[in-house]
């Protein structure tokens, strides 16, 4: 009986997650380096939300999962395509992710806004494309600021990070819409972040006795690292499962090519 119940639960859970056969082809960001001249480009805050593509009828995740916003949220969305982040406030990624990925969640969406940074398949530069968007309660443009020089960019980055923001996006405004990854759209941060796979744990000591001390992870470069900083007490009691992907940040590389001072940021869906 228990086995039958578990099987029915898994079938029910799987049936709630609908995907599109053709995931959206999206604009992706490269990493900014100081030798890149971005004077005259436009910068905006990089929001730490859930990426979502509006295809004119429904919201789709980056992986092609059909999201389930309530009707009131998308009531004033246009029939044209949009690209942006489902967002609430800085440092609230886990909550936003929970709202977006819970199929029956309704009230939580009242606290979210769709922050748009691109209007695909419209002619003209970035500002021209964004100008075609009609804003409403649940749909807003991400403000774009023209970069005066590198000092201006660095000052803006510091102000964003001081408020708890993730970083900055810089883009060549003059280009027509495109997808994929190139050096005309860059993310700017004072640290580097990437994903790794959880492959094990170490036991906590001292006040963390009986909990997880560190996550043992395998990086995209197939290096094994230990991440103990950045975990909350709740996460130490219930750490990300083995095989799950997490995002961590670090500050350069050691002489052996390992991430320096890795810090846990979040578990990816």
């Amino acid at each position: 009986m228990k086995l039958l119940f578990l099987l029915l639960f898994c079938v029910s859970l799987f049936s709630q997650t609908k995907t599109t056969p053709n995931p959206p082809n999206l604009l992706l960001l490269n990493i900014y380096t100081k030798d890149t001249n971005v004077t005259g480009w436009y910068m905006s805050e990089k929001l730490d939300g859930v990426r979502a593509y509006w295809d004119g009828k429904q919201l789709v995740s980056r992986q092609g999962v059909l999201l389930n916003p309530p009707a009131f949220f998308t009531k004033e969305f246009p029939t044209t395509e949009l690209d942006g982040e489902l967002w609430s406030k800085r440092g609230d990624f886990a909550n936003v992710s929970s709202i977006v990925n819970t199929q029956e969640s309704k009230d939580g969406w009242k606290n979210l806004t769709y922050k748009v940074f691109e209007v695909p398949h419209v002619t003209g530069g970035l500002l021209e494309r964004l100008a075609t968007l009609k804003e409403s309660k649940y749909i807003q443009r991400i403000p774009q600021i023209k970069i005066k020089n590198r000092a201006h960019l660095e000052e803006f980055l510091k102000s964003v990070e001081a408020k708890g923001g993730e970083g900055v996006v810089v883009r060549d405004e003059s280009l027509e819409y495109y997808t994929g990854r190139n050096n005309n759209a860059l993310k700017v941060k004072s640290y580097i972040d990437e994903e790794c796979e959880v492959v094990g744990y170490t036991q906590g000591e001292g006040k963390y006795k009986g909990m997880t001390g560190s996550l043992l992870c395998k990086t995209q470069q197939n290096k094994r690292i230990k991440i103990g900083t950045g975990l909350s007490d709740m996460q130490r009691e219930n750490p990300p499962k083995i095989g799950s992907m997490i995002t961590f940040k670090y500050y350069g590389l050691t002489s052996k090519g390992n991430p320096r001072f890795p810090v846990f940021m979040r578990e990816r869906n």
Side-chain angles (χ1 to χ4, degrees):
M1 180 63 72
K2 289 182 179 179
L3 182 60
L4 177 60
F5 174 79
L6 180 60
L7 178 61
L8 291 173
F9 173 77
C10 291
V11 170
S12 173
L13 184 63
F14 178 78
S15 64
Q16 291 180 18
T17 303
K18 299 179 180 179
T19 59
T20 175
N22 299 306
N25 186 20
L26 302 177
L27 166 76
L28 301 173
L29 302 174
N30 272 346
I31 298 174
Y32 167 81
T33 58
K34 290 186 177 182
D35 59 351
T36 304
N37 182 10
V38 296
T39 298
W41 288 20
Y42 278 75
M43 60 186 175
S44 61
E45 180 173 349
K46 188 178 188 302
L47 301 181
D48 189 18
V50 173
R51 180 86 175 264
Y53 192 87
W54 174 252
D55 67 4
K57 296 180 180 179
Q58 56 196 351
L59 281 171
V60 186
S61 78
R62 180 175 174 178
Q63 293 77 22
V65 176
L66 300 180
L67 305 181
N68 188 36
F72 71 79
F73 189 84
T74 57
K75 181 180 179 180
E76 298 184 48
F77 278 35
T79 56
T80 51
E81 296 171 67
L82 303 171
D83 196 359
E85 296 272 337
L86 293 165
W87 193 73
S88 60
K89 60 183 180 181
R90 299 179 183 97
D92 200 35
F93 173 81
N95 180 47
V96 175
S97 180
S98 175
I99 293 169
V100 171
N101 290 290
T102 302
Q103 292 295 312
E104 299 304 320
S105 174
K106 299 299 179 184
D107 288 343
W109 285 83
K110 294 178 181 178
N111 301 317
L112 303 184
T113 307
Y114 188 44
K115 297 287 191 178
V116 176
F117 53 73
E118 186 56 87
V119 182
H121 310 303
V122 173
T123 58
L126 174 62
L127 297 188
E128 292 178 87
R129 297 195 297 273
L130 288 174
T132 65
L133 174 66
K134 182 180 178 181
E135 296 182 301
S136 62
K137 181 177 180 180
Y138 293 111
I139 184 169
Q140 299 171 359
R141 302 182 198 93
I142 298 178
Q144 304 291 324
I145 303 169
K146 191 171 185 178
I147 303 172
K148 299 175 183 177
N149 48 44
R150 193 172 78 182
H152 184 206
L153 169 60
E154 292 175 350
E155 180 182 355
F156 182 61
L157 174 62
K158 287 180 181 178
S159 69
V160 167
E161 293 183 335
K163 296 173 185 175
E166 181 181 355
V168 173
V169 173
V170 296
R171 298 178 63 185
D172 184 346
E173 186 276 338
S174 67
L175 301 179
E176 295 279 348
Y177 175 72
Y178 64 90
T179 59
R181 196 187 304 272
N182 65 43
N183 289 329
N184 296 301
L186 309 169
K187 57 183 176 181
V188 188
K189 301 179 181 181
S190 60
Y191 57 84
I192 305 167
D193 62 358
E194 65 178 67
E195 294 184 350
C196 65
E197 179 185 356
V198 177
V199 295
Y201 315 102
T202 66
Q203 291 296 315
E205 299 177 354
K207 68 175 183 177
Y208 297 132
K209 187 176 182 179
M211 296 189 287
T212 298
S214 301
L215 304 176
L216 301 177
C217 297
K218 181 174 69 173
T219 70
Q220 296 173 357
Q221 295 76 32
N222 206 31
K223 291 183 175 292
R224 301 301 176 103
I225 62 172
K226 185 186 298 185
I227 305 176
T229 305
L231 294 166
S232 66
D233 288 353
M234 183 178 297
Q235 288 164 334
R236 292 182 187 279
E237 292 176 352
N238 298 284
K241 296 179 180 179
I242 291 177
S244 63
M245 300 298 293
I246 67 167
T247 301
F248 71 101
K249 63 181 178 180
Y250 61 96
Y251 301 84
L253 300 174
T254 67
S255 59
K256 295 182 179 180
N258 293 322
R260 187 188 301 275
F261 309 128
V263 178
F264 173 84
M265 294 183 70
R266 69 187 75 88
E267 182 175 1
R268 303 304 299 188
N269 294 306

